[in-house]
Amino acid sequence: NADAVIFLPNNKNIIMAAQSACELSDTGGVVPTKSVPQAFAAMFGVDGEASLEDNVEAMTEAFADVKTGEVTTAIKDSKDAEAAIADGDVIGIADGAIHAVGHSVSDVVMGLLEHMEADDCDTCTLLAGEDLSDEDFQALQERIEQAYEDLEIERTAAITLYPIVFSVE
């Protein structure tokens, strides 16, 4: 019964399905987010008085500069273009590819931040997973603050699937 519905897919594999669903209705629009941090940034573009089309355009612009890093644990041995990955290794993904492999979430996050050129960014948003302890989350934030003194850090919790997801912009 809504006048307008805006879909935030948060996954590149779901964008086309969301667009197809919107073609069945005049009340739907897609903001092609590929991650939860992009969706958070897109939400800052919402204007309750604007049209659906204007909101989709503004929200899409709002997340344009967001770079997302995802850290998880390998579940089997594999070979990436850059390194061998063993079952249990911590891997860091940015831009759809693995760019950091290590033995700790903290080390992999730091490797991804370097790859993502966090020196040139203003804000880092950290989303902690259910399996990352409060102590580890706090220690990671402090490590980032020491390495990137000019980076404003925002943190939140309660994501699933990954120990940590973060963005820089």
Side-chain angles (χ1 to χ4, degrees):
N1 295 333
D3 293 331
V5 176
I6 298 174
F7 293 90
L8 302 148
N10 300 342
N11 184 312
K12 69 179 180 178
N13 297 323
I14 300 174
I15 293 171
M16 286 181 61
Q19 290 169 333
S20 293
C22 286
E23 290 173 6
L24 301 174
S25 169
D26 298 352
T27 61
V30 177
V31 177
T33 56
K34 297 177 185 172
S35 67
V36 171
Q38 286 181 342
F40 283 155
M43 297 299 287
F44 287 111
V46 174
D47 178 351
E49 303 299 316
S51 69
L52 172 65
E53 294 79 16
D54 288 346
N55 268 315
V56 168
E57 183 178 336
M59 293 172 73
T60 300
E61 288 175 13
F63 84 83
D65 295 329
V66 174
K67 302 175 196 175
T68 302
E70 300 167 319
V71 177
T72 190
T73 303
I75 57 171
K76 64 179 182 176
D77 293 346
S78 63
K79 175 104 171 98
D80 183 58
E82 298 179 21
I85 300 169
D87 180 15
D89 280 352
V90 179
I91 56 175
I93 303 163
D95 306 320
I98 297 170
H99 290 284
V101 178
H103 298 290
S104 76
V105 169
S106 181
D107 289 344
V108 170
V109 168
M110 298 308 290
L112 280 179
L113 285 169
E114 183 177 341
H115 168 78
M116 296 164 68
E117 300 176 343
D119 291 355
D120 298 332
C121 298
D122 299 317
T123 305
C124 177
T125 303
L126 301 170
L127 300 127
E130 298 166 342
D131 295 336
L132 189 67
S133 72
D134 290 339
E135 295 81 19
D136 289 343
F137 194 26
Q138 182 64 36
L140 175 60
Q141 180 178 348
E142 291 169 5
R143 186 171 177 191
I144 295 169
E145 288 171 341
Q146 289 175 354
Y148 299 96
E149 294 175 5
D150 295 331
L151 197 59
E152 179 183 331
I153 298 176
E154 300 171 3
R155 62 180 264 182
T156 188
I159 59 168
T160 58
L161 298 179
Y162 297 96
I164 192 154
V165 173
F166 66 93
S167 66
V168 290
E169 54 186 299

